[in-house]
Amino acid sequence: EIVLQTVQAEKVYGKGELETRALKPADIEIEKGVFHAIIGKSGSGKSTLLHILGGLDKPSGGKVYLEGQSMFDLKEKELALLRRRRIGFVFQSFNLLSEHTVLENILMPVHLDKKKEDRAYLEKVLRTLDITNKLPYYPDELSGGERQRVAIARALATKPAILLADEPTGNLDENTGKEVISLLKQSAKEFGQTVVLVTHDMEIAANAERVITISNGEVLK
Ligand code: ADP
Ligand code: ADP
């Protein structure tokens, strides 16, 4: 089952001499329940591709389907809603709200959607990521690895169709990074969560069941 699919999706920045083909027309299929990695060097187009997959950035051409819905044919408001409901994001910089506790951060996307939280599921997520005892703290009171585990829990909380992680270990030291990826992998497995992880690090990518390589804007088969 394909959750997310691109059909000849491409991205060109600038015009004339300044033109950069950041993503050449790419056909990608992201399979349900599978842990994917996108690997490429700095400047190869990884972030461009992830932003297109996540509905954050409109491709210059081609289509992107999330659960059969052509994302960029939606109105901006509908797309924003779809992103909030169906896509979980984890970024290098954590992006937690510092004025709110860990628990508030994790529940925020669920409550924004006026959904009632699935407590049993959330408790399992918190246990898997080993942050159950961090709930009353503020993000500033946590280590980098703990903050990223909280960001992962927040992304999982809405049970998204897909979790997109952009260099999630970029701000962590090597061992903490490995630990966080291992916990992400464990949670993905436990909850059958579809994941797309972007990284320049071969060792990190080796955790994935499927690796997609991008080089000079070209997605290699
Ligand atoms: P990566 O994430 O692999 O480092 P990016 O997707 O950030 O690669 O960038 C791919 C290429 O597109 C690079 O040559 C980069 O300079 C260029 N690029 C990225 N974003 C922009 C932008 N907003 N305007 C112009 N060029 C850009
Ligand atoms: P950095 O690589 O500088 O740490 P991030 O990985 O946090 O930056 O973010 C990468 C890109 O994603 C940036 O262009 C940023 O604006 C965008 N971004 C970060 N967080 C969000 C978010 N919650 N929603 C939408 N876009 C975001």
Side-chain angles (χ1 to χ4, degrees):
E1 189 181 343
I2 306 301
V3 176
L4 182 62
Q5 180 181 21
T6 71
V7 179
Q8 296 289 293
E10 63 178 320
K11 185 74 178 182
V12 182
Y13 291 113
K15 280 209 167 88
E17 276 182 40
L18 295 176
E19 182 177 294
T20 305
R21 293 172 63 92
L23 179 65
K24 294 172 189 160
D27 297 325
I28 296 171
E29 292 184 338
I30 302 299
E31 281 172 73
K32 190 178 173 123
V34 173
F35 196 117
H36 303 70
I38 296 173
I39 188 159
K41 291 184 202 154
S42 175
S44 60
K46 299 185 297 296
S47 292
T48 299
L49 174 56
L50 197 83
H51 283 125
I52 287 174
L53 293 178
L56 293 168
D57 201 5
K58 197 177 159 69
S60 315
K63 300 271 186 192
V64 185
Y65 300 94
L66 178 66
E67 299 179 309
Q69 169 86 252
S70 174
M71 282 202 277
F72 296 98
D73 286 323
L74 294 170
K75 295 191 186 110
E76 185 50 48
K77 264 196 174 166
E78 294 167 342
L79 176 56
L81 197 65
L82 180 74
R83 270 200 308 263
R84 208 173 77 200
R85 290 197 172 143
R86 301 304 295 151
I87 308 179
F89 292 100
V90 175
F91 294 99
Q92 183 170 330
S93 48
F94 318 135
N95 294 332
L96 299 171
L97 301 170
S98 56
E99 307 299 314
H100 292 271
T101 64
V102 164
L103 180 63
E104 287 165 353
N105 266 280
I106 291 170
L107 289 180
M108 195 146 312
V110 182
H111 288 169
L112 270 176
D113 231 14
K114 300 187 182 76
K115 267 197 264 183
K116 209 166 175 295
E117 71 251 28
D118 178 342
R119 280 198 79 155
Y121 167 74
L122 266 178
E123 276 168 21
K124 262 194 249 170
V125 168
L126 298 173
R127 243 183 289 130
T128 309
L129 292 165
D130 194 19
I131 49 175
T132 305
N133 58 358
K134 298 296 173 190
L135 299 180
Y137 292 92
Y138 287 85
D140 291 350
E141 299 173 303
L142 306 184
S143 70
E146 288 166 348
R147 281 181 216 181
Q148 197 58 301
R149 276 143 55 199
V150 171
I152 293 168
R154 178 182 57 183
L156 287 169
T158 56
K159 302 183 182 170
I162 186 161
L163 188 154
L164 301 178
D166 195 358
E167 299 275 7
T169 60
N171 280 328
L172 305 174
D173 65 58
E174 198 182 327
N175 284 332
T176 308
K178 280 186 188 161
E179 203 176 277
V180 165
I181 294 301
S182 158
L183 289 171
L184 170 60
K185 194 174 163 182
Q186 245 173 274
S187 345
K189 195 166 177 198
E190 177 160 357
F191 305 115
Q193 177 66 55
T194 310
V195 175
V196 178
L197 166 77
V198 160
T199 181
H200 65 275
D201 185 330
M202 292 281 229
E203 258 187 80
I204 298 267
N207 284 284
E209 296 167 85
R210 226 187 108 210
V211 178
I212 299 164
T213 304
I214 183 166
S215 172
N216 274 321
E218 194 174 346
V219 173
L220 307 174
K221 287 280 159 183

